[in-house]
Amino acid sequence: MGGKLARLITVIAVLGLASGCGSGDDEPHSSPAPGGATSSASAGVVSPPGEDEEADVSVPECGGILLEEGGTVSGADLGGCISAAMVAAGSGVHRVETSDGDSQTVSFRWNPDFEMSADGGQAVVIKGDDGWIRDSETGAWIKGDTESNDPQAMMAGTVVELVRVAGHPDMIAATIAAADTWTIVEEGEVPVEDAVSDRGWLFEPAGPMEVLGVTLTDYSIWLTPDYLGVYAEATGTTMGQTVTTRDTFLEWGGPVEIPDPEQG
């Protein structure tokens, strides 16, 4: 299990931007993030700004970010904006692909409890405080319990909690804040064909980042004019594992399907 868990931690850290996960709280809310970043769940949808204008937004964390080529923004401000915009959208779907060939589709929503599912690779479902992983051999769902004497339930609980913590909006904000400064490189086409938008604002950090003991390099994020993810990629290295992860956002704000493991 050690090698698989090390690799999982690497992938999760790379996906700190928006792994499609969130907290198990009844409702998203503002709370201190690791490293001092904050997020909040302001109601409504972020309004796109005009060219080279600050956004007129219902998510206040994004109001001071000017979208213009060559501009810069602090990691704390960008992280708070991205996480708050994600929570305000309420739901989303994205595809996660890794350099060793794995691919997963992740769906998430607040209903009002946080719910998410990941299909392909290691299947995971989280519903509020509960979470499950699917046994790859039997197809059965294993409910996670980190305090269980059953090693399968304990491992499932470890995976579920890693996914839950890494995808919490506060963790997303803290991951982005790990870089002091991000540069707005340009507004242009994203390098995939089926993302939620074919264009986005490209942000890149000033240099390598350290998150959860993982060194992140070659980190690039494309955002819509309303600060939601379009595409992201980065390479993470830790514990002898190096993984490049590509994250394509397919939907924001629409209905999503989350399976119920307790119904089989």
Side-chain angles (χ1 to χ4, degrees):
M1 184 181 88
K4 291 183 178 179
L5 189 56
R7 181 182 171 282
L8 177 64
I9 293 171
T10 306
V11 172
I12 286 172
V14 173
L15 291 178
L17 166 63
S19 58
C21 308
S23 72
D25 299 339
D26 289 342
E27 296 182 9
H29 61 277
S30 296
S31 59
T38 60
S39 67
S40 70
S42 304
V45 178
V46 185
S47 302
E51 184 177 357
D52 294 353
E53 294 180 0
E54 293 186 3
D56 176 17
V57 296
S58 55
V59 177
E61 289 84 347
C62 298
I65 297 179
L66 181 65
L67 292 175
E68 62 177 357
E69 186 173 324
T72 60
V73 59
S74 74
D77 288 347
L78 182 61
C81 166
I82 291 173
S83 62
M86 181 189 76
V87 172
S91 65
V93 180
H94 64 115
R95 183 180 64 251
V96 182
E97 299 167 290
T98 63
S99 53
D100 53 6
D102 284 350
S103 179
Q104 287 188 299
T105 300
V106 180
S107 303
F108 62 95
R109 68 185 175 205
W110 287 269
N111 192 32
D113 288 348
F114 174 72
E115 300 179 352
M116 66 82 65
S117 67
D119 300 324
Q122 177 60 73
V124 181
V125 169
I126 296 175
K127 286 179 171 284
D129 293 332
D130 296 326
W132 298 258
I133 66 171
R134 187 188 289 276
D135 188 296
S136 59
E137 295 182 359
T138 67
W141 287 103
I142 303 170
K143 189 171 184 178
D145 182 356
T146 56
E147 298 181 356
S148 174
N149 291 325
D150 181 342
Q152 285 190 312
M154 184 181 297
M155 184 185 71
T158 299
V159 172
V160 166
E161 291 310 309
L162 281 170
V163 172
R164 189 196 306 279
V165 170
H168 191 290
D170 291 345
M171 184 62 197
I172 294 165
T175 298
I176 301 302
D180 291 337
T181 304
W182 290 74
T183 297
I184 306 171
V185 178
E186 63 179 355
E187 192 272 336
E189 294 185 0
V190 299
V192 290
E193 296 182 353
D194 59 344
V196 68
S197 174
D198 59 2
R199 298 182 68 84
W201 286 92
L202 171 59
F203 289 73
E204 293 181 348
M209 303 157 59
E210 293 287 335
V211 180
L212 298 176
V214 180
T215 300
L216 299 177
T217 57
D218 302 320
Y219 207 150
S220 299
I221 304 166
W222 282 259
L223 301 178
T224 67
D226 48 1
Y227 308 101
L228 290 169
V230 179
Y231 179 76
E233 62 183 20
T235 297
T237 301
T238 189
M239 292 187 278
Q241 301 285 323
T242 296
V243 178
T244 296
T245 300
R246 295 170 293 276
D247 199 358
T248 303
F249 296 88
L250 306 173
E251 299 177 25
W252 283 109
V256 297
E257 300 251 349
I258 308 292
D260 185 354
E262 293 187 330
Q263 298 299 319

